[in-house]
Amino acid sequence: MFTDVELERLRRFPEIGREELFRFFTLAPADVAFVDPGRGRGAADRLGLAVAVCSLSWLGFVPDEVASAPQAAVVRLAEQLRVDPAVIGSYGRRAKTRTEHLRLAAQYLGWRPPTTLEIKELDEFLLARAMEHDSPTLLFRLACEFLISARVIRPGPVTVVKRVAHAREVARQETFDRLAHEFTDARRVGLDGLLVVDSEIGMTRLRWLGKGPVEASPAAVKAEIAKLEFLRGMDAHALDLSVLPAERRRFLATVGRRLTAQALERREPERRYPILLTLLAQSATEVLDEVVALFDQALSARESKAAHRMRDYLAERAKSGEDRQELLDAILAIVADPAVPDGDVGGLIRGERVGWDRLRSAQSSALPPLPRDHGHLAALDGSYGYLRQFTPNVLDAVTFAGGTAAAELLEAVAILRELNATGARKVPDDAPSGFVPARFRGYLDTAAANRSATAYRHYWELCVLLALRDGLRTGDVFVPGSRRYSDPAAYLLTEDKWADQRAEFCRLVGKPSDAATGLAEAEDELHTALGKLETTLAHGDGPVRLDDDGDLVISPLTAEDIPAEARALKAELTEMLPFAPIVSLLIEMDKRTGFLDCFTHAGGKQARTRELKRNLIAVLLAQSTNLGLTRMADACGISYDILAWTAEWYVREETLRAANLALIGYHQRLPLTPVFGTGTLSSSDGQRFPTRGKSVTARALSRYFAHEGLSTYTHVTDQHTTYGTKIIVATKREAHYVLDEILGNATDIPITEHATDTHGVTLVNFGLFDLLGLQLSPRIRDLGKITLYRTGAKAAAETAFPLTGPLLARKLNTDLIAEHWDDLLRLAGSLKFGHATASLLVGKLSASGRQNALAAALKEYGALRRTVYTARYLSDPAYRRKISRQLNKGESLHALKRDLLYAHEGMIRARHLEGQTEQAWCLTLVTNAVVTWTTEYYGLAVEQMRAAGRRIDDEVLAHISPAHSENINFFGAIEVDIDGELAQLSPTGYRPLRVRDTLF
């Protein structure tokens, strides 16, 4: 679990931070009186005893070499005791003195040595934690924290490590025992069969289950359905593993996905079978979700192609109708001419002015009238044969359910499933069609009138499939056993849990539980914001004004006025910063932050080789520069096998997030960081990258890609660090993902306000942000054209606000909001307490129609919040400027990422979502390392300037971005020599700043 070097490190004093120094090494008067009783205790003993007292509270034990305590701590205690800090060197030469002082310190603080009872309590605690987490490092830290909370002196690290090892072993046995009833003889045979090469598919079933689709095609859908049927044949969908904690199940499944079949075969049955069983249960849910997602994607792709064909047809139809339009113009010129007698109209049309030839030609080229949808469904009918390749399989393999709103649709799905099973072609006369939208109903009526059973079947079936897809998106239809398409009610806190947590939630977000009070507060906010906008419009000549027709005119913001002093200062700082290869930068940042220690083995192993950090840096650079492991192996001299093994077992989203947090935490503590921003404002935006090869996340988008690509959606603080990254489909609404990283933010950054561009805005988001106690501050394109709302009558609004009132075009349904106020709070509470994923709920609520009362109420409340925001935005130029400045920070980081991801023309070559997500996080991690390194050296350069008597204002520094790569070399030879790089640093631990060339 731990090497000898690591065990020795655990016996010594660690490095101490500023907060720990002040928290634990500040002596109260009683502490001073205890350490210095005024008789018989020399300066060295007093200082040594003080170190022991403070160290016991800090570490939970006192290292044997008290004299090796951090120098800053010794100096601080010496100042308080008024002794020379150098006397600590002569302390504790007799072991008896140290032992006696530890006994006295423990007695004074109320601590006790570990006895059999305390060790037993520790074992019970560790077993409970080991059932949730298998990481030895984490368990060791939790054990130390438990002992500190119990005021028990930590025994030697070997003793604690043995208790951790014992807890892990007992947890493994406990896991097997809890699942023992599942391991029947037949089940064991089936689990072992997963590890044997199946001649039918040419690989083991374990590997087969782990291979995800790379495209939404009939073959891919059928392949996933085959997996689903195989898993159901093993009763994987019926497994109930709730006897194990969720974290334990996730850990076992992760290990199962990474281990080869041979490695699993070598493991003893007590470890092998739980891993395979949890992997089966997780696969059953994931494959079911994949089947439904592929059904949606494949059907939507064909519908999109049908829409393109329809538009092409309409364009050709318009061209062919130009002659008829000219004829109509000629006829109208005759008919509308008052000088032409009525009796002469017909003769002029049929004679010299128009003529029979043009009339007959126009009559013969007459086109049939367009259906209500302009031919969209008819164009989709051209893909009917393609859809039939997989839709019957999906309907047969997946069970759909829903509420009363979807009853008719579900009946139609059951009829279609029966038609597919029996081979019947005619849709029953009593088959429901109420779910068919009005724009498609004409097709069914025409087919029924013509008695065309085939046409009716085609159109009716297409309507069923489209309605089923839309129902799955809105949540009106759900799939039992699914995670992504589950019953929407499962995403909300239950009534009982909500009753217990309502008061706590309202306190956290500052919202009243009473609807009347909540609406009254919102209305006061609205009137205040409208009053400020009224004052702005009254000036009449500002950037926000009304034109002669009473329409809103919003002049664009001028470019941000960056002081010339800031531009000059940045150039000067750039000249002072040292040059560093990207490898050296990562080594240097790890020395100060320890971010590479966050990469832990997925299987729970703890011992780390000396080369591990070297290998991790190579993998991170291979991913973030897009070189790939093969070319990185050639570039750095580390074999591909070693890099691939390191990437497989250490580099995953969980560890990348933890390493990113370590960098952000260090960046927050740098002296220069508060100059950039408070850390309470953030923004999010998508960045598009082209892809190579097929992938279910890639889409064609001619505006951004030559072929196909995807988006990374990132969240950035006003201090220039990126705290969230997510891979999303480039054609999906970015607004669905805005809240995900804000609510899942594990940093110490207290985000209270968030900016986006137009793509991140929906009424649902406006409503949810406010209900969660946050402020959504977007920059909306064509803001003057959006609908603004009022709470009362139009006349009252125009009386109160003569200029602004006429802009409030619609009245809010406040009764609907009041009726569902508690449900709205419960919805927000479910997100706040992590009961549901924001993107999942926002997507379903945004797609829901007016028939969903909760969604309708949320959109009404969102309309109210958007009106408040708009009035505030238009009346406050500083607010507009702040939002624009924050979004520009995100763009500067995008530019840095494009520079970094240079290889293979920046094309993402990972085919599956997991690999793409890991690469996106590697890119984010290295980008944050660059930002942190630059911020730190900017600070050193500024400090040197100020020490030389130069005045540099923080207001000027705020305009300088650390998203800066001029001093960093991303290219060239890559040699990861950690010891060599660290040896080049100065005694202070930094690279020396460059001396500016002042000759020119």
Side-chain angles (χ1 to χ4, degrees):
M1 284 174 53
F2 291 94
T3 64
D4 291 340
V5 173
E6 289 170 328
L7 286 174
E8 185 60 30
R9 179 172 56 82
L10 293 173
R11 295 186 179 98
R12 296 179 175 274
F13 285 99
E15 293 184 2
I16 191 167
R18 180 180 177 85
E19 293 181 3
E20 293 171 322
L21 181 66
F22 284 96
R23 178 181 177 187
F24 294 106
F25 288 84
T26 300
L27 298 176
D31 300 333
V32 174
F34 166 72
V35 169
D36 186 6
R39 62 185 185 281
R41 192 171 288 163
D45 285 346
R46 295 200 303 274
L47 185 55
L49 180 56
V51 171
V53 169
C54 296
S55 298
L56 194 56
S57 299
W58 175 32
L59 303 174
F61 75 104
V62 180
D64 288 339
E65 296 183 13
V66 176
S68 65
Q71 182 66 20
V74 173
V75 170
R76 179 170 176 79
L77 291 177
E79 290 176 351
Q80 297 174 75
L81 295 174
R82 298 178 182 178
V83 298
D84 184 357
V87 301
I88 193 68
S90 60
Y91 171 76
R93 291 175 180 172
R94 294 172 61 245
K96 184 177 180 181
T97 300
R98 299 195 303 271
T99 303
E100 178 63 18
H101 281 183
L102 175 59
R103 184 188 67 80
L104 291 173
Q107 183 179 8
Y108 169 70
L109 295 174
W111 287 58
R112 61 189 189 279
T115 64
T116 304
L117 177 61
E118 280 77 24
I119 296 297
K120 182 179 179 181
E121 291 176 348
L122 177 62
D123 284 345
E124 293 175 354
F125 169 80
L126 283 174
L127 175 59
R129 301 291 76 76
M131 289 299 295
E132 299 171 350
H133 311 284
D134 199 67
S135 167
T137 307
L138 176 60
L139 292 175
F140 185 93
R141 178 169 60 81
L142 292 174
C144 294
E145 291 175 357
F146 172 80
L147 292 172
I148 290 174
S149 66
R151 290 183 174 269
V152 174
I153 301 173
R154 195 204 79 181
V158 173
T159 301
V160 180
V161 166
K162 287 181 178 180
R163 305 327 306 161
V164 169
H166 174 71
R168 294 178 73 212
E169 189 58 39
V170 174
R172 292 193 187 105
Q173 186 61 46
E174 178 71 14
T175 298
F176 181 82
D177 292 343
R178 292 187 185 185
L179 299 176
H181 63 283
E182 298 284 359
F183 301 130
T184 61
D185 292 341
R187 176 64 58 73
R188 290 180 185 232
V189 171
L191 293 175
D192 288 333
L194 295 174
L195 310 179
V196 180
V197 175
D198 191 320
S199 58
E200 182 181 345
I201 58 175
M203 65 182 78
T204 65
R205 291 285 177 176
L206 179 68
R207 184 184 174 196
W208 176 64
L209 289 173
K211 291 186 66 174
V214 295
E215 62 176 340
S217 64
V221 176
K222 290 178 180 178
E224 293 303 302
I225 289 176
K227 293 179 186 177
L228 188 61
E229 292 172 347
F230 172 79
L231 290 166
R232 287 174 175 173
M234 296 191 68
D235 290 331
H237 64 295
L239 287 172
D240 181 10
L241 305 185
S242 58
V243 292
L244 296 180
E247 278 297 315
R248 188 70 178 177
R249 299 198 300 269
R250 185 197 60 79
F251 165 74
L252 292 173
T254 299
V255 172
R257 292 193 186 284
R258 283 172 164 76
L259 286 175
T260 63
Q262 295 80 0
L264 279 167
E265 279 184 317
R266 290 194 296 268
R267 295 206 169 193
E268 58 273 18
E270 288 77 8
R271 299 182 67 186
R272 179 171 71 248
Y273 291 139
I275 290 174
L276 291 174
L277 195 69
T278 52
L279 182 59
L280 273 185
Q282 189 180 86
S283 296
T285 302
E286 291 177 351
V287 171
L288 178 59
D289 282 350
E290 202 65 63
V291 168
V292 180
L294 290 176
F295 163 76
D296 184 320
Q297 186 176 337
L299 177 59
S300 299
R302 285 291 154 165
E303 186 188 27
S304 178
K305 289 184 177 181
H308 286 297
R309 287 198 298 269
M310 177 193 72
R311 284 194 289 270
D312 292 342
Y313 168 73
L314 291 177
E316 290 299 321
R317 180 185 172 104
K319 290 179 183 178
S320 65
E322 288 179 0
D323 291 339
R324 293 171 61 86
Q325 182 64 42
E326 290 179 5
L327 175 62
L328 176 61
D329 292 340
I331 292 174
L332 287 175
I334 296 171
V335 174
D337 188 352
V340 177
D342 292 349
D344 296 341
V345 171
L348 290 173
I349 292 175
R350 299 188 189 95
E352 64 205 43
R353 297 278 293 272
V354 177
W356 278 109
D357 290 341
R358 290 183 68 184
L359 291 173
R360 290 192 180 101
S361 175
Q363 188 177 21
S364 65
S365 62
L367 297 173
L370 287 172
R372 187 169 180 175
D373 71 336
H374 298 146
H376 188 182
L377 191 62
L380 182 59
D381 188 40
S383 299
Y384 180 78
Y386 176 88
L387 297 175
R388 287 285 302 174
Q389 294 181 48
F390 65 90
T391 54
N393 306 76
V394 173
L395 296 183
D396 184 54
V398 180
T399 301
F400 300 99
T404 54
E408 198 171 6
L409 172 60
L410 293 175
E411 183 184 350
V413 170
I415 293 173
L416 182 55
R417 188 183 288 120
E418 181 65 22
L419 291 175
N420 293 333
T422 60
R425 298 184 179 182
K426 184 179 183 300
V427 178
D429 294 336
D430 59 348
S433 61
F435 57 87
V436 178
R439 66 182 186 279
F440 294 156
R441 187 166 293 279
Y443 290 95
L444 299 182
D445 295 339
T446 302
N450 295 335
R451 298 182 181 278
S452 176
T454 300
Y456 191 92
R457 165 67 185 271
H458 281 211
Y459 293 134
W460 182 82
E461 183 171 348
L462 291 173
C463 288
V464 171
L465 295 175
L466 291 172
L468 180 60
R469 180 205 61 185
D470 294 341
L472 289 166
R473 289 180 175 180
T474 62
D476 293 335
V477 177
F478 55 88
V479 179
S482 168
R483 181 182 298 116
R484 206 182 312 170
Y485 301 95
S486 182
D487 182 357
Y491 300 138
L492 301 181
L493 292 166
T494 63
E495 292 287 354
D496 292 341
K497 288 185 178 180
W498 174 237
D500 295 335
Q501 297 182 340
R502 180 190 290 109
E504 174 66 10
F505 170 76
C506 291
R507 184 188 64 80
L508 287 173
V509 301
K511 290 292 174 186
S513 58
D514 176 61
T517 305
L519 283 173
E521 291 178 356
E523 190 167 359
D524 288 343
E525 269 191 88
L526 176 62
H527 289 166
T528 301
L530 291 176
K532 292 181 179 179
L533 180 57
E534 183 78 12
T535 302
T536 300
L537 295 178
H539 291 298
D541 56 353
V544 177
R545 60 191 182 278
L546 297 176
D547 61 16
D548 295 338
D549 297 326
D551 295 327
L552 196 60
V553 177
I554 306 172
S555 300
L557 281 172
T558 57
E560 184 178 3
D561 185 19
I562 299 178
E565 186 182 355
R567 297 179 189 276
L569 179 60
K570 181 174 182 180
E572 191 174 349
L573 291 173
T574 301
E575 291 182 18
M576 294 181 66
L577 259 61
F579 289 115
I582 186 63
V583 174
S584 306
L585 182 149
L586 293 179
I587 293 172
E588 192 176 342
M589 292 316 303
D590 175 63
K591 178 181 183 297
R592 288 198 275 280
T593 68
F595 77 91
L596 291 177
D597 293 329
C598 299
F599 291 92
T600 56
H601 194 282
K605 294 180 181 178
Q606 173 56 29
R608 299 164 71 91
T609 64
R610 284 180 54 83
E611 295 78 20
L612 179 60
K613 287 192 174 184
R614 179 202 66 176
N615 302 340
L616 284 169
I617 289 175
V619 170
L620 291 175
L621 288 178
Q623 295 278 45
S624 58
T625 62
N626 212 32
L627 280 170
L629 298 181
T630 302
R631 290 182 62 180
M632 178 56 70
D634 295 336
C636 69
I638 305 172
S639 73
Y640 171 83
D641 290 345
I642 290 176
L643 295 181
W645 182 86
T646 304
E648 178 71 18
W649 286 100
Y650 285 91
V651 181
R652 54 193 188 277
E653 184 178 354
E654 171 192 349
T655 55
L656 286 163
R657 281 181 177 271
N660 199 55
L661 290 178
L663 282 172
I664 292 176
Y666 182 78
H667 183 268
Q668 285 180 281
R669 296 192 294 273
L670 294 175
L672 192 61
T673 299
V675 173
F676 299 137
T678 61
T680 60
L681 172 64
S682 68
S683 61
S684 56
D685 193 16
Q687 184 176 15
R688 274 85 179 180
F689 292 98
T691 57
R692 179 176 295 172
K694 295 178 179 178
S695 173
V696 293
T697 57
R699 296 290 188 277
L701 209 60
S702 58
R703 180 180 176 185
Y704 299 101
F705 317 120
H707 298 289
E708 288 187 328
L710 49 77
S711 286
T712 61
Y713 197 65
T714 53
H715 286 64
V716 176
T717 71
D718 57 1
Q719 297 174 339
H720 298 278
T721 51
T722 304
Y723 66 91
T725 295
K726 193 179 189 71
I727 295 292
I728 65 174
V729 174
T731 53
K732 282 192 174 181
R733 286 290 305 267
E734 293 178 354
H736 298 173
Y737 304 93
V738 173
L739 270 168
D740 273 356
E741 294 296 338
I742 298 174
L743 294 176
N745 172 27
T747 69
D748 292 330
I749 303 171
I751 302 298
T752 58
E753 186 176 3
H754 189 75
T756 70
D757 58 13
T758 304
H759 299 293
V761 179
T762 61
L763 293 180
V764 168
N765 275 346
F766 267 109
L768 284 177
F769 262 83
D770 184 74
L771 291 169
L772 288 163
L774 303 169
Q775 172 63 48
L776 179 61
S777 299
R779 183 175 61 193
I780 303 176
R781 188 190 311 115
D782 298 328
L783 182 61
K785 298 179 181 179
I786 68 171
T787 303
L788 300 181
Y789 290 74
R790 61 183 185 276
T791 55
K794 183 176 182 179
E798 293 180 356
T799 301
F801 308 104
L803 299 176
T804 308
L807 301 175
L808 308 177
R810 291 188 58 184
K811 183 178 182 297
L812 285 164
N813 188 349
T814 53
D815 292 338
L816 181 65
I817 299 173
E819 181 183 352
H820 293 278
W821 181 256
D822 191 63
D823 291 331
L824 293 175
L825 292 177
R826 181 159 71 111
L827 172 64
S830 301
L831 296 177
K832 180 74 172 178
F833 296 129
H835 191 74
T837 304
S839 56
L840 198 61
L841 271 177
V842 171
K844 292 186 182 299
L845 292 167
S846 298
S848 294
R850 302 299 297 184
Q851 67 273 13
N852 185 324
L854 178 58
L858 181 58
K859 290 173 183 177
E860 285 291 318
Y861 188 68
L864 168 61
R865 299 311 314 180
R866 187 179 68 177
T867 303
V868 173
Y869 154 77
T870 302
R872 179 187 170 200
Y873 180 89
L874 295 176
S875 60
D876 189 349
Y879 183 43
R880 298 201 299 275
R881 181 76 66 190
K882 180 180 75 169
I883 295 171
S884 181
R885 186 183 299 118
Q886 175 58 29
L887 292 174
N888 288 341
K889 291 180 180 180
E891 291 297 335
S892 67
L893 287 167
H894 284 178
L896 177 58
K897 288 180 180 179
R898 280 192 292 270
D899 291 342
L900 186 55
L901 195 79
Y902 63 85
H904 299 285
E905 299 177 330
M907 286 188 173
I908 304 297
R909 294 171 297 157
R911 308 285 289 278
H912 298 98
L913 178 61
E914 182 180 10
Q916 293 164 355
T917 300
E918 289 172 357
Q919 183 169 7
W921 271 106
C922 286
L923 181 58
T924 294
L925 180 66
V926 176
T927 302
N928 274 340
V930 171
V931 168
T932 304
W933 185 90
T934 306
T935 301
E936 187 160 26
Y937 276 96
Y938 272 166
L940 294 174
V942 169
E943 183 180 342
Q944 180 173 305
M945 288 179 176
R946 287 172 171 168
R950 176 89 170 269
R951 178 181 175 181
I952 299 176
D953 294 332
D954 286 349
E955 291 77 8
V956 176
L957 283 171
H959 291 280
I960 298 177
S961 170
H964 163 97
S965 60
E966 284 88 338
N967 298 78
I968 302 162
N969 183 16
F970 297 145
F971 313 102
I974 298 175
E975 183 179 353
V976 189
D977 180 7
I978 295 179
D979 293 336
E981 291 290 345
L982 294 179
Q984 295 180 23
L985 301 180
S986 68
T988 62
Y990 296 97
R991 297 172 181 274
L993 296 173
R994 291 185 294 152
V995 178
R996 294 186 63 224
D997 187 351
T998 58
L999 295 179
F1000 302 98

